[in-house]
């Protein structure tokens, strides 16, 4: 893995005896909780954007010298490995990996009570090392301890597997077990708990219990809750209500036990005998944010009783930049590794250099595609990429909706080829159907357009595809994509986007300069499809084939304008300024 980071370290908090204020660059000690974290190519503990964001955040914390630790679950059986048959039917295989090959097992054992049974947890450690040498440890909780029942031993096996009961047990382990484990390890100095999505919100319950243990009261007062809030930050990622975890009161009483669930419901979050993890997190946090400006707006409408801010996501620049482009940046703007703002000066790089570095990344991608699928794509042909979780709202088959129109575009404006990738959640039948639709349409176009679907889209392919294609296509239904991050990876590689105006693209889009928008006047999909095809035919393909310098100019401005901003270094500095600075004031 490529590491990057700062040469100067931010001072450890508390050393000077002062607490951070708004605008302070001295962050508190933060524990970052996330259900999934993408740690490295070989550790399958994530399923998509949420995990990549968590990993990128922690990598930037290591680079910036921010005092942070990560907490997540181990997932011995990972997410799943995707195989696709000739018709695009998804077949799921368990992933096996050996934690001991990558992680250090620690001695401490933490215990969480689940359904009245004490469940013992072990903990594995993974160190993220920033370029300045600062270490951010990530702790992965593991329930496969011999003293646990057979069922309990499986509780940290699967990411997003199992039923609601399994899921609630996992969230109890993450939130309550995570706080316990941090103490057992000796992290008594955590000042701020950052909940990356609501899955870890039960950590607030453990903080309440701890506070009550020092008093005579059985239930928390509003001052107690206010005090907990001063230590919590919550980032919400889901713009649709159905995307937020919710459990019935009965299930909560069964899993947490009567005493603990009575205490939980006494903390006063809105829940009529239901545990909504988002409401739990909102109620206990001093600072709440969505992950792009538009998502902040949507979240404020969803949760009108809370002050929801917005901090736009980013990606870890060095991790997602192709090696040929890294070499270019190293030559032209060597400061970019410790300070991503310098990417702004990519605007001065020679166009021929941009084209050369990109072509190298493209050839590397096409070689990998051939090795994987046997399909030989042409490095001189305009290449479109579309890869992300195959879930309904992202509308992966939208590009294929009119094969006859695609033929017409190719005849009029020049050849194109498409690289697809993405797993559907095992229970997402709509997502699976979308993969089959792409296969079917690809068959109809076989003689005119090469279309490949890369199986098992994960880290390595994410890096190859976002680095090597000529255009990134993104078609979420508007307001459904909280942020999206793969287009940001593309920008770092000088790959422009053609996208509906949603999530981060509302902020990153400058028409004809960083890419192109898919427009609609009345919000109809038919208009969006027409706009997508028209821009390809009349603007994008002619630019690519008839004005290579014009196309390279768009590539270069994507790097300079968007690479320099949509990275986790800028994002984390904003968290320090705006979010963490509101916490830990005692
Ligand atoms: C970046 C990445 C994602 C997230 O992509 P979005 O555009 O945010 O949906 C998902 N999976 C992998 C493997 C990635 O690298």
């Amino acid at each position: 893995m490529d590491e990057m980071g700062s040469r100067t370290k931010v001072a450890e908090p508390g050393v000077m005896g002062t607490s951070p204020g708004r605008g302070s660059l001295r962050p508190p000690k933060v524990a970052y909780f996330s259900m999934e974290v993408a740690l490295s190519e070989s550790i399958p503990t994530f399923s998509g954007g949420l995990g990549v964001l968590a990993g990128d955040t922690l990598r930037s914390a290591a680079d910036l010298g921010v005092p942070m630790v990560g907490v997540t679950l181990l997932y011995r059986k990972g997410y799943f490995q995707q195989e696709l048959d000739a018709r695009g039917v998804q077949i799921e295989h368990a992933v096996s990996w050996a934690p001991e090959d990558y992680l250090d097992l620690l001695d401490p054992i933490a215990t969480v009570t689940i359904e009245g049974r004490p469940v013992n947890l072990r903990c594995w450690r993974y160190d993220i090392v920033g370029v300045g040498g600062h270490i951010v440890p990530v702790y992965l909780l593991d329930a496969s301890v011999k003293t646990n029942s057979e069922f309990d031993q499986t509780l940290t096996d699967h990411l997003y597997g199992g039923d609601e009961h399994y899921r609630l047990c996992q969230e109890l382990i993450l939130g309550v077990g995570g706080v316990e484990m941090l103490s057992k390890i000796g992290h008594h100095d955590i000042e701020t708990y950052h909940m990356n999505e609501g899955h870890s919100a039960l950590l607030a319950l453990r903080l309440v219990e701890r506070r009550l243990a020092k008093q005579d009261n059985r239930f928390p007062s509003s001052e107690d809750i206010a005090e907990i809030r001063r230590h919590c930050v919550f980032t919400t990622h889901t713009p649709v209500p159905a995307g937020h975890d919710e459990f019935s009161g009965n299930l909560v009483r069964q899993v947490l036990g009567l005493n603990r669930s009575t205490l939980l419901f006494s903390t006063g979050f809105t829940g009529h005998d239901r545990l909504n993890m988002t409401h739990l997190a909102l109620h206990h946090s001093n600072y709440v944010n969505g992950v792009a400006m538009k998502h902040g707006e949507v979240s404020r409408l969803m949760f009108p009783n809370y002050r929801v801010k917005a901090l736009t996501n980013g990606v870890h620049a060095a991790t997602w930049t192709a090696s040929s482009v890294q070499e270019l940046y190293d030559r032209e703007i060597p400061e970019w590794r410790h300070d991503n703002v310098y990417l702004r000066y990519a605007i001065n790089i020679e166009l021929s250099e941009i084209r050369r570095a990109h072509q190298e990344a493209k050839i590397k991608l096409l070689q990998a595609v051939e090795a994987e699928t046997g399909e030989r794509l042409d490095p001189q042909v305009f290449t479109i990429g579309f890869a992300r979780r195959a879930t309904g709202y992202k509308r992966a088959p939208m590009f294929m909706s009119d094969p006859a129109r695609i033929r017409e575009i190719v005849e009029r404006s020049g050849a194109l080829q498409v690289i697809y990738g993405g797993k559907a959640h095992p229970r997402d039948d709509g997502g699976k159907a979308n993969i089959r639709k792409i296969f079917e349409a690809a068959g109809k176009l076989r003689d005119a357009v090469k279309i490949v679907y890369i199986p098992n889209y994960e880290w390595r392919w994410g890096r190859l595809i976002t680095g090597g294609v000529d255009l990134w296509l993104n078609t979420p239904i508007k307001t459904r994509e909280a942020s999206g991050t793969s287009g940001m990876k593309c920008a770092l590689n000088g790959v422009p986007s053609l996208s509906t105006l949603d999530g981060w693209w509302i902020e990153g889009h400058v028409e004809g300069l960083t890419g192109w928008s898919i427009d609609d006047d009345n919000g109809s999909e038919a208009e969006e499809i027409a706009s997508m095809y028209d821009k390809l035919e009349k603007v994008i393909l002619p630019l690519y084939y008839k004005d290579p310098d014009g196309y390279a100019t768009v590539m270069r401005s994507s790097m300079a304008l968007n690479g320099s901003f949509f990275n986790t270094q800028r994002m984390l500095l904003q968290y320090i300024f705006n979010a963490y600075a509101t916490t830990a004031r005692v």
Side-chain angles (χ1 to χ4, degrees):
M1 186 180 65
D2 307 287
E3 297 288 353
M4 58 164 295
S6 67
R7 288 169 191 161
T8 48
K9 281 192 193 176
V10 177
E12 294 283 319
V15 178
M16 318 295 276
T18 48
S19 48
R22 203 174 176 80
S24 168
L25 260 183
R26 186 181 301 146
K29 179 137 189 174
V30 180
Y32 184 87
F33 279 66
S34 184
M35 192 75 164
E36 45 173 309
V37 182
L39 291 170
S40 90
E41 253 182 67
S42 1
I43 304 182
T45 52
F46 72 104
S47 79
L50 186 73
V52 172
L53 177 80
D56 283 357
T57 302
L58 295 165
R59 280 182 278 279
S60 283
D63 292 338
L64 287 167
V66 174
M68 196 183 260
V69 302
V71 180
T72 188
L73 304 186
L74 180 68
Y75 308 118
R76 275 175 187 280
K77 308 232 162 101
Y79 186 45
F80 71 90
Q81 196 162 357
Q82 179 197 52
E83 184 191 330
L84 296 169
D85 77 5
R87 287 171 36 248
V89 174
Q90 173 173 296
I91 301 149
E92 293 128 23
H93 301 284
V95 191
S96 61
W97 66 293
E100 55 277 14
D101 290 350
Y102 308 96
L103 312 171
D104 292 323
L105 181 60
L106 306 183
D107 290 334
I109 297 277
T111 306
V112 184
T113 304
I114 299 179
E115 295 174 331
R117 305 183 300 277
V119 174
N120 291 324
L121 303 172
R122 302 193 291 182
C123 182
W124 299 78
R125 176 174 167 149
Y126 179 88
D127 281 346
I128 299 177
V129 185
V131 269
H134 182 80
I135 289 175
V136 166
V138 181
Y139 300 109
L140 300 97
L141 305 173
D142 177 12
S144 70
V145 178
K146 292 269 181 311
T147 49
N148 293 338
S149 76
E150 229 167 85
F151 171 73
D152 292 340
Q153 289 190 35
T154 69
L155 284 174
T156 52
D157 277 354
H158 299 280
L159 172 60
Y160 306 140
D163 54 10
E164 287 210 321
H165 168 259
Y166 185 80
R167 174 76 159 240
L168 181 55
C169 293
Q170 285 193 325
E171 297 191 1
L172 183 60
I173 289 175
L174 179 64
V176 173
V179 172
E180 277 312 283
M181 188 58 84
L182 288 175
S183 302
K184 289 282 157 98
I185 293 169
H187 285 293
H188 301 295
D189 51 350
I190 303 296
E191 297 167 270
T192 300
Y193 294 83
H194 187 162
M195 296 171 248
N196 185 43
E197 191 51 294
H199 310 123
S200 58
L202 284 168
L203 72 82
L205 173 63
R206 187 64 199 134
L207 298 182
V208 170
E209 288 174 346
R210 281 199 175 163
R211 193 167 167 82
L212 292 180
K214 296 186 201 142
Q215 315 170 352
D216 293 334
N217 301 332
R218 279 190 57 214
F219 295 109
S221 64
S222 52
E223 288 77 37
D224 290 321
I225 299 300
E227 177 53 27
I228 303 296
R229 274 188 202 132
R230 279 193 279 274
H231 297 278
C232 293
V233 167
F234 170 46
T235 302
T236 175
H237 292 263
T238 316
V240 280
H244 299 261
D245 273 352
E246 197 171 89
F247 304 100
S248 74
N250 282 338
L251 184 62
V252 173
R253 279 182 288 278
Q254 181 196 328
V255 172
L256 273 64
L258 199 53
N259 289 345
R260 200 167 229 174
S261 26
T262 306
L263 176 62
L264 175 66
F265 285 107
S266 79
T267 60
F269 68 96
T270 27
H272 302 281
D273 203 38
R274 294 192 70 79
L275 168 58
N276 179 303
M277 298 300 280
T278 302
H279 285 143
L280 182 64
L282 285 166
H283 183 69
H284 289 94
S285 297
N286 213 21
Y287 186 94
V288 177
N289 71 287
V291 290
M293 294 301 135
K294 181 70 180 181
H295 181 232
E297 262 173 54
V298 171
S299 303
R300 281 189 286 279
L301 293 175
M302 269 179 7
F303 313 115
N305 299 329
Y306 296 92
R307 273 179 302 146
V308 183
K309 307 282 190 182
L311 281 178
T312 301
N313 280 345
V315 294
H316 186 256
T319 298
W320 300 106
T321 302
S323 45
S324 57
V325 179
Q326 288 195 28
E327 284 157 22
L328 175 63
Y329 290 158
D330 283 342
R331 273 200 313 277
E332 303 284 334
I333 33 176
E335 299 86 350
W336 78 285
R337 285 189 185 269
H338 77 269
D339 184 350
N340 295 170
V341 173
Y342 278 85
L343 287 167
R344 182 68 174 69
Y345 304 110
I347 206 73
N348 297 323
I349 299 177
E350 297 266 349
L351 294 176
S352 58
E353 291 286 309
I354 305 254
R355 266 205 303 272
R356 210 187 35 72
H358 174 68
Q359 198 62 16
E360 201 178 318
K362 185 172 178 180
I363 286 168
K364 202 168 154 191
L365 164 65
L366 300 194
Q367 282 167 349
V369 168
E370 188 176 350
E372 177 72 39
T373 65
E375 195 79 54
R376 177 171 288 183
L377 301 184
D378 183 344
Q380 300 311 318
V381 166
F382 183 73
T383 305
I384 300 176
F386 187 108
R388 42 183 63 83
R389 282 183 306 115
T391 184
Y393 80 86
K394 293 186 187 252
R395 297 190 290 189
M398 190 164 127
F399 177 71
M400 309 292 270
S401 42
D402 190 349
R405 179 79 176 99
I406 295 175
R407 274 176 200 280
E408 195 178 81
I409 292 170
V410 169
E411 277 158 25
R412 288 181 186 165
S413 302
L416 63 83
Q417 54 199 6
V418 190
I419 300 175
Y420 271 105
K423 299 178 187 176
H425 186 279
R427 284 194 299 270
D428 182 356
D429 292 330
K432 290 181 183 179
N434 279 349
I435 301 176
R436 294 196 302 274
K437 275 187 207 162
I438 291 167
F439 271 68
E440 203 187 310
K444 288 186 193 148
L445 280 166
R446 188 160 291 143
D447 58 308
V449 181
K450 283 217 163 110
I451 294 160
V452 296
Y453 200 111
I454 304 294
N456 207 38
Y457 180 63
E458 24 74 331
W459 180 307
R460 173 174 162 258
W461 281 108
R463 204 157 172 245
L464 281 166
I465 302 179
T466 58
V469 296
D470 297 308
L471 180 75
W472 193 242
L473 181 67
N474 184 38
T475 52
I477 296 174
K478 283 208 279 190
T479 76
R480 297 286 292 278
E481 187 72 282
S483 163
T485 52
S486 46
M488 302 174 181
K489 298 170 190 166
C490 290
L492 281 160
N493 288 293
V495 175
S497 290
L498 169 62
S499 169
T500 45
L501 282 168
D502 200 20
W504 83 280
W505 189 237
I506 297 172
E507 300 162 45
H509 160 254
V510 185
E511 185 73 9
L513 202 62
T514 60
W516 300 271
S517 61
I518 294 173
D519 303 322
D520 64 284
D521 291 329
N522 305 306
S524 82
E525 188 171 274
E527 283 176 309
E528 291 177 312
I529 292 169
S531 165
M532 171 182 69
Y533 287 146
D534 284 350
K535 284 205 181 166
L536 261 179
E537 180 191 328
K538 300 188 176 115
V539 181
I540 303 171
L541 279 166
L543 189 68
Y544 183 81
Y545 283 120
K546 298 204 177 114
D547 181 7
D549 271 355
Y551 203 86
T553 304
V554 177
M555 298 176 71
R556 184 170 67 180
S557 20
S558 306
M559 292 168 163
L561 294 186
N562 287 345
S564 64
F565 185 84
F566 295 99
N567 55 70
T568 36
Q569 192 175 76
R570 181 272 314 157
M571 182 198 82
L572 190 58
L573 287 169
Q574 284 201 295
Y575 273 99
I576 293 169
F577 256 23
N578 299 283
Y580 303 155
T582 70
T583 63
R585 290 201 193 106
V586 190

